[in-house]
């Protein structure tokens, strides 16, 4: 996630890129959005969702601009190195750059030094042809303090991600398998409120069942942290298919219930006390900036990439609104659960047992495939943060210490709390705020300064953000820091009332 320069990978069309981005953004955060909508009120939620969607789109264009600037700098450095080599070497080979380019074709031309490329006349120096991850961009454009702050922010975000995943799976399993009445398949999601101390099976309390599931989850998936894993294409297709089946099912079932006059929801317009969690959930649900290099670089035609991203955000905004509004009008506020899928495990909503179990256990399948990948990403970021040029880690530190400091903290957090709405809200409000607003704004500002220094003030980045005026960068920074203060003050005031 915060690595260095890697191969572009297999190219795909802009519309395939649109689908990939949609799948990336619409994830676990969407399942906690209906509860956040109900808590904050439908009008406040809609306004905040639209505004945060706009802000996320703006910072996405900042990251794309920084990616183009990073590609230009890499070409320029290769050009300078080529000049030095040409001065030192004897020009006796007799083979010109243009001859080589004609033989190798356009694809090889993209990886040639910029001097060779410009002799042929393409591509543009700011063309995004190499995947430069956010960590590498931070190293290129930030000073040492900025780089450390970047890694600190992304590590905290990944810890929050893992804590959410570690809690979501045991919560889903507990809710589906535990019942005070003994009929587990029909009592979940019927509006009955259970305490953690209520019985699950015999003498086992619900909180005990949750922790047993958490221990099993940790024992089964934790060992993957000690190895290298990656998400295969087929696994991605499978999880995406399951996710879309689940989301479409929930929307259709809620609409059917509303059309039959069985809707129970009477949402309020505004409840300011719910804004804190709603803010964090929305930020978390629009998160994609950290994965943009992997998504944008393989797109074959990037001329209208910003318009493509805008279309994606409009579609996602419409989807989130549809999912949340059908939820808050279908179910009473006090019956909406942190994990929205669990509202559909009631016999009155779905008569088919297979569908009830599919929706109830849906987070278990999808999250379980993502947990090892996020854990390995976090472990690698820890290694990068402490890495020194030319140094290597002892075997114990590399294979034992780093995986353990990756795995233990999120599991401890999940052991202490399974309040998913708060976990998502806090992760989004703090670390998510930094990744989605502050880091992209600083990347845009620093990359523009570096571009002017290296190429001159007359050079124009072909992927320059539509929000090119410095005002927008200042606005995003003020907004980001203000959100930090607002959320912190809200937490302090809430705790003082208790």
């Amino acid at each position: 996630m915060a690595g260095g320069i890697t191969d572009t990978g297999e190219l795909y069309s802009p519309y395939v890129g649109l689908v990939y981005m949609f799948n990336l953004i619409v994830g676990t955060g969407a399942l906690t959005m209906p509860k956040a909508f109900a808590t904050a009120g439908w009008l406040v939620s809609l306004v905040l969702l639209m505004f945060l969607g706009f802000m996320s789109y703006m910072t996405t264009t900042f990251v794309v601009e920084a990616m183009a600037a990073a590609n230009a700098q890499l070409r320029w450095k290769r050009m300078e190195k080529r000049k030095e080599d040409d001065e030192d070497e004897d020009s006796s080979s007799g083979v010109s750059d243009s001859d080589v380019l004609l033989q190798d074709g356009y694809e090889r031309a993209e990886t040639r030094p910029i001097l060779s490329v410009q002799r042929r006349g393409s591509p543009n120096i700011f063309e995004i042809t190499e995947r430069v991850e956010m960590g590498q961009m931070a190293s290129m454009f930030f000073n040492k303090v900025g780089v450390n702050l970047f890694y600190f922010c992304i590590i905290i975000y990944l810890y929050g991600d893992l804590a959410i995943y570690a809690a979501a799976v045991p919560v889903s399993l507990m809710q589906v398998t535990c019942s005070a009445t003994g009929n587990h398949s029909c009592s979940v999601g019927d509006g009955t409120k259970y305490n953690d101390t209520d019985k699950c099976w015999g003498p086992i309390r619900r909180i005990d069942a949750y922790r047993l599931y958490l221990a099993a989850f940790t024992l089964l998936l934790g060992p993957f942290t000690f190895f290298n894993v990656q998400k295969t294409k087929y696994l991605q297709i499978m999880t995406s298919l399951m996710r879309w089946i689940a989301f479409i099912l929930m929307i259709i079932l809620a609409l059917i219930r509303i059309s039959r006059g069985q809707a129970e929801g009477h949402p309020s317009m505004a409840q300011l006390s719910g804004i804190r969690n709603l803010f964090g959930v929305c930020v978390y649900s629009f998160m994609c900036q950290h994965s943009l290099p992997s998504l944008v670089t393989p797109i074959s035609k990037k001329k209208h990439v910003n318009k493509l991203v805008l279309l994606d955000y409009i579609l996602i905004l419409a989807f989130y609104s549809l999912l949340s509004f059908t939820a808050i009008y279908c179910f009473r506020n006090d019956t909406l659960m942190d994990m929205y899928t669990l509202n559909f495990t009631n016999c009155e909503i779905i008569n088919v047992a297979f569908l009830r179990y599919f929706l109830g256990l849906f987070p278990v399948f999808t999250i379980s495939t993502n947990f090892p990948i996020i854990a390995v990403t976090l472990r690698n970021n820890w290694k990068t943060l402490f890495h020194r040029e030319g140094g290597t880690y002892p075997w114990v530190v590399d294979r034992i210490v780093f995986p353990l400091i990756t795995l233990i903290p999120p599991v401890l957090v999940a052991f202490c709390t399974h309040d998913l709405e708060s976990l998502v809200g806090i992760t989004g409000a703090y670390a998510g705020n930094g990744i989605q607003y502050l880091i992209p704004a600083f990347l845009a500002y620093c990359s523009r300064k570096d571009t002017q220094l290296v190429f001159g003030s007359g050079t124009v980045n072909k992927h320059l953000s539509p929000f090119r005026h410095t005002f927008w960068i200042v606005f995003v920074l003020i907004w980001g820091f203000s959100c930090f203060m607002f959320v912190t003050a809200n937490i302090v005031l809430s705790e003082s009332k208790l």
Side-chain angles (χ1 to χ4, degrees):
M1 182 175 294
I5 305 167
T6 56
D7 293 334
T8 302
E10 185 179 348
L11 297 180
Y12 45 72
S13 72
Y15 294 105
V16 173
L18 182 142
V19 173
Y20 282 169
M21 182 174 288
F22 197 103
N23 282 336
L24 172 76
I25 297 176
V26 180
T28 313
L31 297 177
T32 61
M33 191 170 285
K35 176 71 178 291
F37 254 65
T39 307
W42 68 267
L43 182 60
V44 169
S45 299
L46 182 61
V47 171
L48 190 61
L49 181 68
M50 293 174 67
F51 178 72
L52 293 180
F54 165 74
M55 294 293 290
S56 182
Y57 167 69
M58 188 194 309
T59 57
T60 297
T61 65
F62 287 166
V63 176
V64 172
E65 178 186 336
M67 287 166 56
N71 271 259
Q73 288 222 16
L74 290 172
R75 287 193 178 92
W76 177 78
K77 287 177 181 177
R78 285 200 302 267
M79 179 186 73
E80 292 298 304
K81 187 176 185 303
R82 183 62 177 268
K83 283 181 179 178
E84 291 176 3
D85 292 343
D86 286 346
E87 289 173 0
D88 296 338
E89 288 178 4
D90 210 355
S91 58
S92 58
S93 62
V95 180
S96 68
D97 288 335
S98 57
D99 292 334
V100 174
L101 285 175
L102 287 171
Q103 293 170 6
D104 291 352
Y106 177 75
E107 290 183 2
R108 286 287 300 275
E110 288 189 335
T111 61
R112 286 270 169 192
I114 191 61
L115 182 63
S116 302
V117 172
Q118 287 197 323
R119 284 179 186 175
R120 182 181 172 100
S122 65
N124 183 284
I125 191 171
F126 289 99
E127 195 68 59
I128 301 172
T129 57
E130 290 182 83
R131 189 168 74 190
V132 187
E133 300 289 358
M134 283 189 81
Q136 182 67 15
M137 285 191 280
S139 300
M140 292 174 70
F141 300 126
F142 295 165
N143 58 24
K144 185 65 177 176
V145 174
V147 172
N148 288 336
L149 287 174
F150 163 80
Y151 277 105
F152 174 78
C153 189
I154 205 157
I155 284 170
I156 295 299
Y157 176 76
L158 292 174
Y159 268 133
D161 241 0
L162 290 177
I164 291 163
Y165 288 179
V169 170
V171 161
S172 296
L173 290 170
M174 176 191 71
Q175 294 285 13
V176 170
T177 59
C178 289
S179 170
T181 63
N183 186 3
H184 61 76
S185 66
C186 291
S187 60
V188 180
D190 63 357
T192 306
K193 288 292 182 182
Y194 298 111
N195 294 319
D196 286 344
T197 54
D198 289 339
K199 298 298 182 183
C200 181
W201 328 292
I204 304 295
R205 300 173 303 167
R206 290 172 64 84
I207 188 64
D208 297 329
Y210 167 79
R211 287 172 178 168
L212 284 172
Y213 284 131
L214 175 61
F217 177 83
T218 306
L219 290 173
L220 286 172
L221 296 180
F224 286 102
T225 312
F226 295 80
F227 307 101
N228 288 320
V229 292
Q230 61 181 5
K231 194 165 188 176
T232 65
K233 180 174 72 173
Y234 299 106
L235 188 61
Q236 183 177 349
I237 291 171
M238 185 190 75
T239 54
S240 296
L241 186 63
M242 289 182 65
R243 179 165 64 240
W244 282 110
I245 291 172
F247 279 129
I248 291 169
L249 262 178
M250 289 187 290
I251 290 172
I252 291 174
L253 290 168
L255 286 172
I256 290 173
R257 193 168 172 80
I258 292 169
S259 66
R260 289 177 177 174
Q262 299 172 327
E264 301 174 348
H266 301 284
S268 61
M269 287 183 62
Q271 294 182 41
L272 297 181
S273 59
I275 290 180
R276 183 194 80 197
N277 271 350
L278 176 67
F279 169 75
V281 168
C282 289
V283 169
Y284 188 80
S285 300
F286 279 118
M287 185 66 68
C288 70
Q289 284 74 6
H290 56 292
S291 297
L292 279 175
S294 302
L295 286 171
V296 173
T297 307
I299 294 176
S300 56
K301 298 177 182 178
K302 305 180 183 72
K303 183 178 180 182
H304 303 294
V305 67
N306 286 330
K307 293 179 181 177
L308 191 75
V309 172
L310 177 60
L311 176 60
D312 236 329
Y313 270 90
I314 292 171
L315 292 173
I316 290 165
L317 187 64
F319 174 79
Y320 283 163
S321 301
L322 180 61
L323 180 72
S324 300
F325 273 96
T326 53
I328 62 177
Y329 280 100
C330 181
F331 300 100
R332 295 197 317 272
N333 287 9
D334 59 339
T335 62
L336 273 171
M337 307 190 78
D338 287 349
M339 191 68 66
Y340 182 47
T341 49
L342 295 174
N343 280 95
F344 294 89
T345 53
N346 180 10
C347 290
E348 293 182 6
I349 309 297
I350 306 178
N351 292 323
V352 183
F354 171 77
L355 293 180
R356 287 199 302 273
Y357 280 109
F358 172 74
L359 289 175
L361 298 175
F362 156 71
V364 176
F365 303 128
T366 56
I367 288 173
S368 296
T369 60
N370 285 334
F371 185 89
I373 299 159
I374 302 296
V376 170
T377 302
L378 174 55
R379 184 200 68 193
N380 292 340
N381 275 281
W382 272 121
K383 290 182 180 181
T384 304
L385 180 61
F386 290 107
H387 181 70
R388 294 296 175 264
E389 191 74 28
T392 57
Y393 295 113
W395 184 89
V396 173
V397 175
D398 186 55
R399 297 299 181 89
I400 305 296
V401 175
F402 280 123
L404 286 178
I405 64 173
T406 296
L407 188 61
I408 291 174
V411 172
L412 286 177
V413 171
F415 183 85
C416 296
T417 180
H418 54 77
D419 186 349
L420 288 173
E421 189 184 12
S422 294
L423 283 174
V424 172
I426 291 172
T427 301
Y430 284 103
N433 186 0
I435 294 171
Q436 192 163 146
Y437 301 137
L438 303 181
I439 291 173
F442 279 120
L443 278 176
Y445 176 75
C446 295
S447 65
R448 288 175 189 178
K449 282 184 63 179
D450 278 24
T451 298
Q452 288 185 356
L453 285 172
V454 174
F455 302 107
S457 57
T459 308
V460 178
N461 186 337
K462 67 175 290 186
H463 292 292
L464 189 65
S465 168
F467 308 94
R468 61 194 65 189
H469 198 282
T470 309
F471 163 80
W472 292 110
I473 292 179
V474 174
F475 177 70
V476 170
L477 293 175
I478 292 174
W479 167 254
F481 286 116
S482 300
C483 290
F484 272 125
M485 291 186 287
F486 167 76
V487 172
T488 305
N490 193 282
I491 292 173
V492 171
L493 291 174
S494 299
E495 291 297 324
S496 63
K497 288 179 182 178
L498 299 176

